[in-house]
Amino acid sequence: AAQVLAWIFALLSATMSGPPEKKLKVSPQESDVVGWHNMYWRGGQMKVCFRPGGHFFCAEHQAASTWRIVDGEILIDWQHYGRFKFSVSEGKHLQGFALHQDDSKKWRKTLYFGALSPVERLLFGDGEGTEWDFQSPEGNVSVQIRCDGENHFVCPSRRGDAHWLLDKKGKTLIIDWGKHGKYELDVDVKSKTLDGYQIREGVEDPDEDKDRRKMVFKGNLNKPKPIVHDDDDEGNGGGHGHGHSHGADGHTHGKGHGEGHDHGDGIVSLGKLSIGSEKFMVDREGQVDKHFHTTFGVERVGPGKTTGFTAWVQNSDGQKLCDPVEADSHDDHFHFTVTPRASDAETFVISCGDQVSAISVHPGAAPTNGGIMSVLEDSDGKHVGFIELKLHDDAGDLELWLCKDGAMSQPFDIPASTSITVTCPTHGDRSVQLQVRNNDQNEDEDGNPTMRDGKTNYFIFPGESGQDPSWLVGAKFRSTTTVTFTSENKTYTAPHFVLVPHS
């Protein structure tokens, strides 16, 4: 009887205790993520590194990439290679997806395979990189090894685009210093020194007196200045700083946009807005995604002196989705970097005092051919579609696509006889005429036919027109631009936007 009572008591106790408590989901910490991973996607795999300080690196696809943890999710902003969201699946392995891609293509996962090496930990410091005394026969200079997504090597007294990498064994630092030479130095972690030589073309045995180099550790970097490159004699600037750029996460009208065309990245001109009597053209770089940074460029069109702007994004109900931010400004250019708390941003809002003006962010709209996208308006200023204008800086030729939707999937066809005018006020209002390549199939540069019942959405310059494209040539080209045409007695305009070359 005693055994039966004990059994009943145990059964009642188990019933009254209820279900077992669920373990609270613990947000990953930086130490759970930092290190080397193999990233897998439908097209293959690649090695990537989550570096300390929120820097993301891939040797094959270098960019000013970042990562951070928000609400338990690991967010990667790989610039023109896309944006990604991950969560921890098991151990240090991750699973997630790419934003703005088809369901069949968006899945991603990583398998963690190794921590940072002692050499990497020394070079990376606290996450921003390290400062060194670079010793040569010409004297000593201070240099920096940056722990960023592009392996920048910086010398404040010798400007130029320079980079570093480790050899396959991970123990020798290789420096490509542009016009200042190439170097290979072995790393001694214990003494925090690097010792090696300048590598001179055609010279097998280095000269101990002329070619010997040494680097001595000075300290870890803390909030280093944004990288600014001057073009060297060989044009090795790589496009950095062309147009206007503001730091590693800043807004750059220059080379580099448009790669990875199915990631929803690129520059989209949203049109014009007014503050008082002054007018401004507005664009955004990339999509407006929850918890990701998006930069809006605002540039004055015409005379004016108003300053002191703040801006934010809001949803269709007028609810602010981020705190108002002040502009990073120079001359008549203003840049606002916002980080929305939700994914339903509809308008970009700018204010100055009691004056407020808003413009649609055109969610989802993005160039698909590596050009600059702009809204297209009719003669009443009504939004009717989008254009994408692509400038090739090597020859000064232009391609233009017309579409009804921001995904550039629904052609805005007009008669093939139409001539489209592109005007550049910055260059003395010079203009060119875009026309069809031919009246048969009007193929694009990939050979795809674009002619449909005598209409098309694809136009080019100069083609066989004999017009001079030389003034459009060059990686530094930048101009305020408008696009206009008349079709079937209706006039259409892409209002002022900034045109820069495709790279």
Side-chain angles (χ1 to χ4, degrees):
Q3 290 179 340
V4 173
L5 288 173
W7 177 80
I8 293 174
F9 179 76
L11 180 63
L12 290 172
S13 297
T15 303
M16 294 174 65
S17 64
E21 292 185 6
K22 293 183 178 179
K23 292 184 178 180
L24 294 176
K25 186 177 180 180
V26 179
S27 177
Q29 303 299 309
E30 181 176 287
S31 58
D32 298 323
V33 182
V34 167
W36 285 93
H37 296 240
N38 274 324
M39 179 181 286
Y40 297 85
W41 80 104
R42 191 179 71 167
Q45 61 176 294
M46 67 181 74
K47 292 182 179 180
V48 300
C49 186
F50 290 83
R51 291 178 168 178
H55 301 288
F56 182 80
F57 176 78
C58 175
E60 293 82 8
H61 302 290
Q62 296 187 29
S65 312
T66 60
W67 70 275
R68 62 196 186 110
I69 300 172
V70 181
D71 292 344
E73 291 185 311
I74 300 157
L75 310 181
I76 301 173
D77 192 340
W78 205 338
Q79 300 299 311
H80 45 271
Y81 297 109
R83 290 174 171 177
F84 306 84
K85 288 187 177 182
F86 285 92
S87 59
V88 176
S89 59
E90 181 181 353
K92 292 189 175 184
H93 307 322
L94 309 177
Q95 62 183 7
F97 58 92
L99 277 64
H100 310 293
Q101 282 201 332
D102 295 337
D103 289 342
S104 62
K105 300 168 61 178
K106 67 192 301 182
W107 71 268
R108 298 290 189 277
K109 73 174 183 179
T110 79
L111 295 180
Y112 175 85
F113 72 86
L116 300 178
S117 69
V119 170
E120 289 172 324
R121 291 197 297 270
L122 171 63
L123 300 180
F124 295 169
D126 296 324
E128 294 295 344
T130 46
E131 185 177 13
W132 300 76
D133 186 43
F134 187 92
Q135 301 174 359
S136 72
E138 293 78 26
N140 298 359
V141 293
S142 178
V143 299
Q144 301 170 4
I145 296 175
R146 294 290 181 94
C147 172
D148 57 20
E150 297 176 287
N151 280 0
H152 278 109
F153 181 84
V154 178
C155 178
S157 61
R158 296 180 183 175
R159 302 275 285 274
D161 192 23
H163 299 267
W164 65 269
L165 61 88
L166 291 173
D167 70 347
K168 291 183 178 180
K169 294 182 179 180
K171 296 182 179 181
T172 299
L173 186 76
I174 302 171
I175 302 169
D176 185 347
W177 203 340
K179 67 180 181 181
H180 300 296
K182 294 184 179 181
Y183 306 85
E184 292 185 5
L185 301 98
D186 295 328
V187 183
D188 187 325
V189 174
K190 290 185 178 180
S191 65
K192 295 185 177 182
T193 60
L194 286 77
D195 202 349
Y197 298 91
Q198 181 175 6
I199 306 302
R200 292 185 292 145
E201 188 175 354
V203 179
E204 293 185 6
D205 298 320
D207 186 299
E208 284 290 333
D209 294 327
K210 294 181 179 180
D211 298 329
R212 188 73 177 265
R213 299 293 186 274
K214 186 174 183 178
M215 291 171 59
V216 179
F217 179 81
K218 295 179 67 176
N220 295 339
L221 292 174
N222 181 25
K223 297 181 180 180
K225 294 181 179 180
I227 295 171
V228 178
H229 300 300
D230 291 340
D231 290 338
D232 59 27
D233 296 336
E234 299 168 336
N236 291 331
H240 300 280
H242 293 172
H244 40 271
S245 178
H246 295 271
D249 299 320
H251 187 75
T252 305
H253 277 151
K255 299 178 73 174
H257 66 78
E259 298 176 36
H261 301 150
D262 60 349
H263 290 300
D265 71 308
I267 298 173
V268 180
S269 177
L270 307 176
K272 290 192 294 186
L273 54 71
S274 299
I275 293 289
S277 61
E278 300 181 22
K279 296 185 181 299
F280 302 84
M281 55 182 171
V282 182
D283 63 34
R284 62 168 167 82
E285 188 164 9
Q287 299 291 346
V288 188
D289 295 317
K290 179 181 178 181
H291 295 321
F292 283 90
H293 304 314
T294 299
T295 299
F296 290 84
V298 178
E299 186 164 337
R300 199 187 317 271
V301 180
K305 297 182 179 180
T306 302
T307 57
F309 301 108
T310 58
W312 61 90
V313 289
Q314 62 187 31
N315 61 20
S316 58
D317 295 327
Q319 180 182 3
K320 291 180 180 178
L321 301 183
C322 66
D323 296 329
V325 296
E326 296 182 353
D328 179 9
S329 61
H330 61 105
D331 299 328
D332 288 328
H333 311 284
F334 308 88
H335 302 92
F336 304 87
T337 299
V338 301
T339 309
R341 295 183 288 266
S343 57
D344 57 344
E346 291 286 341
T347 56
F348 171 74
V349 184
I350 185 171
S351 72
C352 183
D354 59 354
Q355 299 182 74
V356 179
S357 187
I359 193 169
S360 173
V361 301
H362 293 288
T368 58
N369 299 286
I372 305 295
M373 172 179 271
S374 173
V375 296
L376 181 66
E377 300 174 348
D378 63 15
S379 57
D380 295 325
K382 179 182 177 182
H383 171 236
V384 295
F386 296 88
I387 65 107
E388 182 176 351
L389 184 62
K390 181 177 182 179
L391 169 60
H392 298 267
D393 61 23
D394 56 345
D397 53 323
L398 296 165
E399 295 179 275
L400 183 139
W401 294 262
L402 300 165
C403 281
K404 298 176 182 178
D405 63 323
M408 301 297 285
S409 63
Q410 302 174 27
F412 188 111
D413 286 340
I414 58 177
S417 59
T418 306
S419 180
I420 297 178
T421 302
V422 173
T423 303
C424 298
T426 309
H427 291 259
D429 282 330
R430 294 189 69 169
S431 64
V432 298
Q433 303 297 315
L434 280 69
Q435 298 171 337
V436 295
R437 187 185 303 277
N438 58 62
N439 285 295
D440 184 16
Q441 296 295 318
N442 193 36
E443 301 88 350
D444 63 18
E445 292 200 348
D446 293 325
N448 301 312
T450 65
M451 194 73 77
R452 290 167 286 271
D453 296 326
K455 293 185 176 182
T456 184
N457 73 325
Y458 177 70
F459 296 81
I460 65 169
F461 163 86
E464 301 298 326
S465 67
Q467 299 175 79
D468 177 22
S470 61
W471 63 280
L472 294 165
V473 173
K476 289 186 176 182
F477 181 89
R478 183 185 189 279
S479 180
T480 301
T481 305
T482 60
V483 174
T484 59
F485 63 91
T486 300
S487 173
E488 299 176 334
N489 298 319
K490 294 181 180 179
T491 299
Y492 300 91
T493 302
H496 293 84
F497 62 93
V498 176
L499 176 64
V500 292
H502 164 77
S503 61

